[in-house]
Amino acid sequence: MNSYSENIRSGHLWLRDFNNNIKTANVVLSSVYIKYQKYDDLYANLTTNNIINFDTFYDSILIQTGAGFFFEKIVVKDSIIEPYNQFTSFFANNDLNIDYWLDEKEKKVYFCGFNDIDGFNLPEIKFSLFFKEFDIKKGIVKNHFDSTITLALSSVSNWNNSNGNKENPKLTYNPDTNIFNVSFIIRNTIQTLGLISINVSGLPKIEIEEINSFLPFAIVDIENSSVI
Amino acid sequence: MYSQTISLVSQTVNNSAPFQLTINPSNLALPKKIRQIDYIWGDGTTTSIIYKPDPNQDLNPKNYPQTKKFLSKDLSLSVYYIIINVYTFGSPTPNAYLITLNLSNPVLENYFEKVHLAKTRMFGMDNQIIYTFETQNKDNVLLSLVNWKIKPKEISLQQLNRSYEIVAPFAQQFKNNKNVKVTPSPDYVPYSPEDQTLINRLYP
């Protein structure tokens, strides 16, 4: 199985507890999961141990299920793993359209993804990109932007109301220029492969700076395209 | 690799590169026995199959199908004219057959079934990006280095059928749309009201 397939399928997560016993994550992390009880779909996935992605950043964890994902800074009290604070950083996202980048120097995890939006006028590609950070030191999520990007198209080939078939974005960071990049594949109705690249300026002000695209099925009309 | 086996008759074959063509001459029904078949492949190479008398083996050239691999020659259509000359005993003039082979570059994702973007890494002052693609079928990893600052000529829709070599097209065929208007929201709220209350309390 390739890594793409691994990242979109649920599996069972097993962890070793502080008594050296290997147990399912819903047992070892039960004191963390209880914090998310009010999110029915998420909690159902957590308690049945249907986990799509799990990652750790120092004393923080990322857990991703089919119902969404959350970051959590954890502490250990009396050999029990508990949440560090009361912040809830759950993001419902059925499409799993996120990627993240660990800044080891600043102890932050930057992450981005798509919010699905309704309504678009053909021919155009319209999507909402959010960009946030999880502060590992404080266990808090900070929002940077949630922008609606509209790429007006001309000379389109095989494009209809699908608004494009987007894949998960990939996030990377260039420390040489303090620029993030979000890239993702987009396809038309006959699955011709296109690529959109979005450069995002780094701190102190994180915002979209530049958009490039490889769209062999269309030409982008720059005058009528926008980022809001 | 795409492949096809054809009988030895004059014909046109349309397919996608890379392509493996097998010509089977066993169907030939000539009045005299075949002494030699020359396959002139159209790429500068020739294969000659010559009759060799041997009481223990049937060395008739018509019993030996010939296979040849063809690659695409440019960004669009590649045409190969394959000439097969069949010589019979007692005749200096060959029976000639022409096979026209039209090879288009394969659509990338037809060839690999599906291509996904697995990872990206950006580096250097030009913000060059290494794109790591992963194919669904055959489990290949394809790397492509892109400098989006370069503005090459735009491609036409006729060039959609790109080479199966993913690396080259991205370096040459993308279009740059860097002047999209960016209007940042001036009043974007970094934290939710609940979080802001907590932050104020925890981190005054």
Side-chain angles (χ1 to χ4, degrees), chain B residues 180-194:
Chain B
V180 172
K181 289 173 288 187
V182 179
T183 311
S185 175
D187 54 351
Y188 196 75
V189 181
Y191 301 105
S192 67
E194 298 80 19

Side-chain angles (χ1 to χ4, degrees), chain A residues 42-73:
Chain A
L42 171 69
Y43 196 64
N45 280 326
L46 295 176
T47 50
T48 53
N49 203 20
N50 281 317
I51 309 298
I52 287 178
N53 187 23
F54 173 79
D55 212 339
T56 59
F57 317 95
Y58 301 97
D59 58 354
S60 297
I61 58 173
L62 163 69
I63 291 190
Q64 197 170 359
T65 77
F69 64 97
F70 64 85
F71 290 90
E72 192 69 55
K73 183 178 174 74

Side-chain angles (χ1 to χ4, degrees), chain A residues 179-210:
Chain A
I179 296 286
F180 291 94
N181 179 270
V182 182
S183 291
F184 60 93
I185 282 176
I186 188 165
R187 296 182 171 88
N188 64 0
T189 50
I190 61 167
Q191 302 299 302
T192 307
L193 182 144
L195 191 68
I196 291 180
S197 163
I198 302 170
N199 279 0
V200 176
S201 60
L203 291 171
K205 188 162 178 58
I206 294 181
E207 60 185 10
I208 293 176
E209 207 175 62
E210 178 179 323

Side-chain angles (χ1 to χ4, degrees), chain A residues 2-5 84 86-88 101 132 137-138 140-146 151 155 157 165 167 170-174 176-177 179-181 183-185 187 191-193 195 197 199 207-220 222-223 225-228, chain B residues 107-109 114-129 131 133-137 139 146 148-149 154-157 160 162 166 169-170 173-185 188-192 194-196 198-199 201-203:
Chain A
N2 57 37
S3 65
Y4 179 85
S5 301
Y84 172 76
Q86 304 166 51
F87 292 103
T88 302
W101 178 269
K132 303 174 189 290
K137 294 176 187 170
K138 297 178 180 176
I140 304 173
V141 169
K142 180 181 180 181
N143 302 314
H144 284 292
F145 64 78
D146 189 347
L151 299 180
S155 303
S157 171
N165 182 6
E167 282 198 359
K170 291 296 167 187
L171 177 62
T172 182
Y173 175 69
N174 184 356
D176 296 337
T177 54
I179 296 286
F180 291 94
N181 179 270
S183 291
F184 60 93
I185 282 176
R187 296 182 171 88
Q191 302 299 302
T192 307
L193 182 144
L195 191 68
S197 163
N199 279 0
E207 60 185 10
I208 293 176
E209 207 175 62
E210 178 179 323
I211 299 176
N212 294 287
S213 64
F214 166 74
L215 299 176
F217 40 77
I219 294 173
V220 176
I222 294 172
E223 283 302 310
S225 298
S226 63
V227 179
I228 298 174
Chain B
V107 175
L108 182 71
E109 296 195 286
K114 204 84 172 177
V115 174
H116 301 294
L117 182 56
K119 283 188 186 305
T120 57
R121 284 292 179 272
M122 186 163 62
F123 64 95
M125 298 312 292
D126 279 347
N127 288 322
Q128 293 192 80
I129 301 174
Y131 287 95
F133 297 91
E134 192 175 57
T135 66
Q136 187 80 18
N137 191 17
D139 285 338
V146 173
W148 292 101
K149 289 192 184 306
E154 293 190 345
I155 58 168
S156 65
L157 293 177
L160 288 185
R162 301 181 301 283
I166 191 173
F170 272 100
Q173 296 183 9
F174 65 82
K175 288 179 290 243
N176 192 299
N177 305 299
K178 64 181 294 184
N179 297 317
V180 172
K181 289 173 288 187
V182 179
T183 311
S185 175
Y188 196 75
V189 181
Y191 301 105
S192 67
E194 298 80 19
D195 284 354
Q196 190 65 60
L198 271 174
I199 290 168
R201 186 152 54 85
L202 291 172
Y203 306 103

Side-chain angles (χ1 to χ4, degrees), chain A residues 33-46 67 70 88-92:
Chain A
Y33 285 179
I34 199 74
K35 182 175 171 181
Y36 296 89
Q37 198 170 14
K38 64 180 177 182
Y39 305 104
D40 294 340
D41 292 343
L42 171 69
Y43 196 64
N45 280 326
L46 295 176
F70 64 85
T88 302
S89 61
F90 168 61
F91 300 92

